[in-house]
Amino acid sequence: MTLGVRGIACDERGHVLLVRHTYSAGWYLPGGGVEHGERAPDAIIREMAEEGGVEAAGAPTLLGFYSNHANYRNDHVALYRIEHWRPCIPTATAEIAERGFFPPQAPPPETTQATVRRLDEIFAGAPASLDW
C-alpha cells in the first residue's frame, strides 16, 4: 500500500494554491508521497513548503481520505487543509514548473479532474467521493 498527501491552502482572497509539475501535464493541489517512517500530517507540511512556498503556522486539518486505485493499485491519498500559513521559499524548484493561487470555482483549464472534484467538494458543496 502507498500513501500520498495533497493540501489546500488559500490566500487572503480565498484563492487556492495549485502547482504545475515539470514531469506531468496539468495543475494539481500540492503534495506527494509519505516517506518511510513519516506521519501523514508531517508529510503535507513538508510538501506544502517544498512545492508551494507555504509554511504551516498550525496543524493541518484532515479533510478526506481517498482511494486512488484507478491510477495506482492500493494507493490512497489524504487531503489536508492548511488554514494558517506564511510564505516561505519553495525548495522543489526542479520539480515545480509553476505555482499560483486561483479561484476555486475557476481553476486553470488544464487542472486535473481529481483536483477539480476536490475543489467542487470543498468549495461548492458537491457530494464527496471515496475515490481520488
PDB file of all heavy atoms in Angstrom, residues 52-71:
ATOM      1  N   GLY A  52       4.950  24.467  -2.657  1.00  0.00           N
ATOM      2  CA  GLY A  52       4.102  25.645  -2.758  1.00  0.00           C
ATOM      3  C   GLY A  52       4.594  26.906  -2.100  1.00  0.00           C
ATOM      4  O   GLY A  52       3.998  27.968  -2.266  1.00  0.00           O
ATOM      5  N   GLY A  53       5.663  26.818  -1.309  1.00  0.00           N
ATOM      6  CA  GLY A  53       6.107  28.004  -0.588  1.00  0.00           C
ATOM      7  C   GLY A  53       5.153  28.405   0.518  1.00  0.00           C
ATOM      8  O   GLY A  53       5.009  29.580   0.835  1.00  0.00           O
ATOM      9  N   VAL A  54       4.509  27.407   1.109  1.00  0.00           N
ATOM     10  CA  VAL A  54       3.532  27.614   2.180  1.00  0.00           C
ATOM     11  C   VAL A  54       4.056  26.937   3.440  1.00  0.00           C
ATOM     12  O   VAL A  54       4.145  25.705   3.487  1.00  0.00           O
ATOM     13  CB  VAL A  54       2.154  27.030   1.775  1.00  0.00           C
ATOM     14  CG1 VAL A  54       1.230  26.914   2.964  1.00  0.00           C
ATOM     15  CG2 VAL A  54       1.530  27.866   0.671  1.00  0.00           C
ATOM     16  N   GLU A  55       4.421  27.737   4.430  1.00  0.00           N
ATOM     17  CA  GLU A  55       4.887  27.204   5.708  1.00  0.00           C
ATOM     18  C   GLU A  55       3.726  27.204   6.693  1.00  0.00           C
ATOM     19  O   GLU A  55       3.183  28.261   7.033  1.00  0.00           O
ATOM     20  CB  GLU A  55       6.028  28.053   6.253  1.00  0.00           C
ATOM     21  CG  GLU A  55       6.578  27.542   7.559  1.00  0.00           C
ATOM     22  CD  GLU A  55       7.678  28.436   8.115  1.00  0.00           C
ATOM     23  OE1 GLU A  55       8.208  29.287   7.384  1.00  0.00           O
ATOM     24  OE2 GLU A  55       8.000  28.268   9.300  1.00  0.00           O
ATOM     25  N   ALA A  56       3.328  26.023   7.129  1.00  0.00           N
ATOM     26  CA  ALA A  56       2.194  25.897   8.044  1.00  0.00           C
ATOM     27  C   ALA A  56       2.480  26.610   9.353  1.00  0.00           C
ATOM     28  O   ALA A  56       3.565  26.499   9.906  1.00  0.00           O
ATOM     29  CB  ALA A  56       1.881  24.429   8.299  1.00  0.00           C
ATOM     30  N   ALA A  57       1.483  27.345   9.844  1.00  0.00           N
ATOM     31  CA  ALA A  57       1.585  28.032  11.127  1.00  0.00           C
ATOM     32  C   ALA A  57       0.602  27.409  12.115  1.00  0.00           C
ATOM     33  O   ALA A  57       0.097  28.068  13.009  1.00  0.00           O
ATOM     34  CB  ALA A  57       1.308  29.519  10.954  1.00  0.00           C
ATOM     35  N   GLY A  58       0.329  26.155  11.926  1.00  0.00           N
ATOM     36  CA  GLY A  58      -0.577  25.401  12.779  1.00  0.00           C
ATOM     37  C   GLY A  58      -0.716  24.007  12.208  1.00  0.00           C
ATOM     38  O   GLY A  58      -0.215  23.711  11.120  1.00  0.00           O
ATOM     39  N   ALA A  59      -1.399  23.152  12.932  1.00  0.00           N
ATOM     40  CA  ALA A  59      -1.577  21.769  12.499  1.00  0.00           C
ATOM     41  C   ALA A  59      -2.514  21.707  11.297  1.00  0.00           C
ATOM     42  O   ALA A  59      -3.506  22.433  11.234  1.00  0.00           O
ATOM     43  CB  ALA A  59      -2.144  20.937  13.642  1.00  0.00           C
ATOM     44  N   PRO A  60      -2.215  20.849  10.323  1.00  0.00           N
ATOM     45  CA  PRO A  60      -3.120  20.680   9.193  1.00  0.00           C
ATOM     46  C   PRO A  60      -4.384  19.939   9.623  1.00  0.00           C
ATOM     47  O   PRO A  60      -4.359  19.145  10.569  1.00  0.00           O
ATOM     48  CB  PRO A  60      -2.309  19.851   8.202  1.00  0.00           C
ATOM     49  CG  PRO A  60      -1.294  19.145   9.021  1.00  0.00           C
ATOM     50  CD  PRO A  60      -1.022  20.009  10.213  1.00  0.00           C
ATOM     51  N   THR A  61      -5.478  20.204   8.935  1.00  0.00           N
ATOM     52  CA  THR A  61      -6.760  19.560   9.214  1.00  0.00           C
ATOM     53  C   THR A  61      -7.051  18.538   8.130  1.00  0.00           C
ATOM     54  O   THR A  61      -7.042  18.870   6.941  1.00  0.00           O
ATOM     55  CB  THR A  61      -7.895  20.609   9.236  1.00  0.00           C
ATOM     56  OG1 THR A  61      -7.593  21.591  10.227  1.00  0.00           O
ATOM     57  CG2 THR A  61      -9.239  19.978   9.543  1.00  0.00           C
ATOM     58  N   LEU A  62      -7.319  17.308   8.525  1.00  0.00           N
ATOM     59  CA  LEU A  62      -7.656  16.258   7.568  1.00  0.00           C
ATOM     60  C   LEU A  62      -9.060  16.509   7.025  1.00  0.00           C
ATOM     61  O   LEU A  62     -10.021  16.596   7.787  1.00  0.00           O
ATOM     62  CB  LEU A  62      -7.581  14.880   8.236  1.00  0.00           C
ATOM     63  CG  LEU A  62      -7.897  13.689   7.342  1.00  0.00           C
ATOM     64  CD1 LEU A  62      -6.872  13.555   6.223  1.00  0.00           C
ATOM     65  CD2 LEU A  62      -7.957  12.416   8.179  1.00  0.00           C
ATOM     66  N   LEU A  63      -9.181  16.625   5.700  1.00  0.00           N
ATOM     67  CA  LEU A  63     -10.475  16.862   5.058  1.00  0.00           C
ATOM     68  C   LEU A  63     -11.080  15.595   4.483  1.00  0.00           C
ATOM     69  O   LEU A  63     -12.291  15.478   4.367  1.00  0.00           O
ATOM     70  CB  LEU A  63     -10.335  17.895   3.937  1.00  0.00           C
ATOM     71  CG  LEU A  63      -9.872  19.281   4.338  1.00  0.00           C
ATOM     72  CD1 LEU A  63      -9.740  20.169   3.100  1.00  0.00           C
ATOM     73  CD2 LEU A  63     -10.832  19.905   5.343  1.00  0.00           C
ATOM     74  N   GLY A  64     -10.234  14.665   4.062  1.00  0.00           N
ATOM     75  CA  GLY A  64     -10.749  13.445   3.464  1.00  0.00           C
ATOM     76  C   GLY A  64      -9.650  12.442   3.209  1.00  0.00           C
ATOM     77  O   GLY A  64      -8.463  12.773   3.186  1.00  0.00           O
ATOM     78  N   PHE A  65     -10.076  11.213   3.012  1.00  0.00           N
ATOM     79  CA  PHE A  65      -9.158  10.110   2.743  1.00  0.00           C
ATOM     80  C   PHE A  65      -9.725   9.357   1.550  1.00  0.00           C
ATOM     81  O   PHE A  65     -10.879   8.916   1.581  1.00  0.00           O
ATOM     82  CB  PHE A  65      -9.062   9.207   3.976  1.00  0.00           C
ATOM     83  CG  PHE A  65      -7.936   8.229   3.912  1.00  0.00           C
ATOM     84  CD1 PHE A  65      -6.634   8.638   4.128  1.00  0.00           C
ATOM     85  CD2 PHE A  65      -8.174   6.899   3.630  1.00  0.00           C
ATOM     86  CE1 PHE A  65      -5.575   7.733   4.062  1.00  0.00           C
ATOM     87  CE2 PHE A  65      -7.133   5.985   3.576  1.00  0.00           C
ATOM     88  CZ  PHE A  65      -5.832   6.411   3.792  1.00  0.00           C
ATOM     89  N   TYR A  66      -8.959   9.235   0.483  1.00  0.00           N
ATOM     90  CA  TYR A  66      -9.459   8.763  -0.792  1.00  0.00           C
ATOM     91  C   TYR A  66      -8.683   7.560  -1.293  1.00  0.00           C
ATOM     92  O   TYR A  66      -7.481   7.442  -1.068  1.00  0.00           O
ATOM     93  CB  TYR A  66      -9.337   9.872  -1.849  1.00  0.00           C
ATOM     94  CG  TYR A  66     -10.057  11.136  -1.468  1.00  0.00           C
ATOM     95  CD1 TYR A  66      -9.438  12.095  -0.673  1.00  0.00           C
ATOM     96  CD2 TYR A  66     -11.353  11.364  -1.904  1.00  0.00           C
ATOM     97  CE1 TYR A  66     -10.101  13.264  -0.324  1.00  0.00           C
ATOM     98  CE2 TYR A  66     -12.017  12.530  -1.561  1.00  0.00           C
ATOM     99  CZ  TYR A  66     -11.393  13.472  -0.769  1.00  0.00           C
ATOM    100  OH  TYR A  66     -12.041  14.617  -0.421  1.00  0.00           O
ATOM    101  N   SER A  67      -9.359   6.716  -2.050  1.00  0.00           N
ATOM    102  CA  SER A  67      -8.737   5.619  -2.776  1.00  0.00           C
ATOM    103  C   SER A  67      -8.276   6.151  -4.128  1.00  0.00           C
ATOM    104  O   SER A  67      -9.023   6.845  -4.807  1.00  0.00           O
ATOM    105  CB  SER A  67      -9.763   4.504  -2.976  1.00  0.00           C
ATOM    106  OG  SER A  67      -9.370   3.657  -4.018  1.00  0.00           O
ATOM    107  N   ASN A  68      -7.066   5.830  -4.505  1.00  0.00           N
ATOM    108  CA  ASN A  68      -6.538   6.228  -5.812  1.00  0.00           C
ATOM    109  C   ASN A  68      -6.292   4.984  -6.669  1.00  0.00           C
ATOM    110  O   ASN A  68      -5.376   4.939  -7.483  1.00  0.00           O
ATOM    111  CB  ASN A  68      -5.250   7.039  -5.635  1.00  0.00           C
ATOM    112  CG  ASN A  68      -4.818   7.722  -6.912  1.00  0.00           C
ATOM    113  OD1 ASN A  68      -5.606   7.963  -7.814  1.00  0.00           O
ATOM    114  ND2 ASN A  68      -3.541   8.032  -7.002  1.00  0.00           N
ATOM    115  N   HIS A  69      -7.136   3.968  -6.505  1.00  0.00           N
ATOM    116  CA  HIS A  69      -6.938   2.682  -7.166  1.00  0.00           C
ATOM    117  C   HIS A  69      -7.062   2.771  -8.678  1.00  0.00           C
ATOM    118  O   HIS A  69      -6.484   1.942  -9.385  1.00  0.00           O
ATOM    119  CB  HIS A  69      -7.905   1.640  -6.625  1.00  0.00           C
ATOM    120  CG  HIS A  69      -7.684   1.356  -5.172  1.00  0.00           C
ATOM    121  ND1 HIS A  69      -8.545   0.596  -4.431  1.00  0.00           N
ATOM    122  CD2 HIS A  69      -6.706   1.730  -4.318  1.00  0.00           C
ATOM    123  CE1 HIS A  69      -8.116   0.505  -3.181  1.00  0.00           C
ATOM    124  NE2 HIS A  69      -7.003   1.189  -3.095  1.00  0.00           N
ATOM    125  N   ALA A  70      -7.777   3.750  -9.199  1.00  0.00           N
ATOM    126  CA  ALA A  70      -7.908   3.881 -10.657  1.00  0.00           C
ATOM    127  C   ALA A  70      -6.557   4.192 -11.297  1.00  0.00           C
ATOM    128  O   ALA A  70      -6.302   3.809 -12.436  1.00  0.00           O
ATOM    129  CB  ALA A  70      -8.921   4.973 -10.992  1.00  0.00           C
ATOM    130  N   ASN A  71      -5.680   4.880 -10.572  1.00  0.00           N
ATOM    131  CA  ASN A  71      -4.370   5.243 -11.106  1.00  0.00           C
ATOM    132  C   ASN A  71      -3.261   4.314 -10.629  1.00  0.00           C
ATOM    133  O   ASN A  71      -2.353   3.998 -11.399  1.00  0.00           O
ATOM    134  CB  ASN A  71      -4.021   6.680 -10.725  1.00  0.00           C
ATOM    135  CG  ASN A  71      -4.965   7.665 -11.379  1.00  0.00           C
ATOM    136  OD1 ASN A  71      -5.278   7.542 -12.550  1.00  0.00           O
ATOM    137  ND2 ASN A  71      -5.416   8.643 -10.626  1.00  0.00           N
TER     138      ASN A  71
END
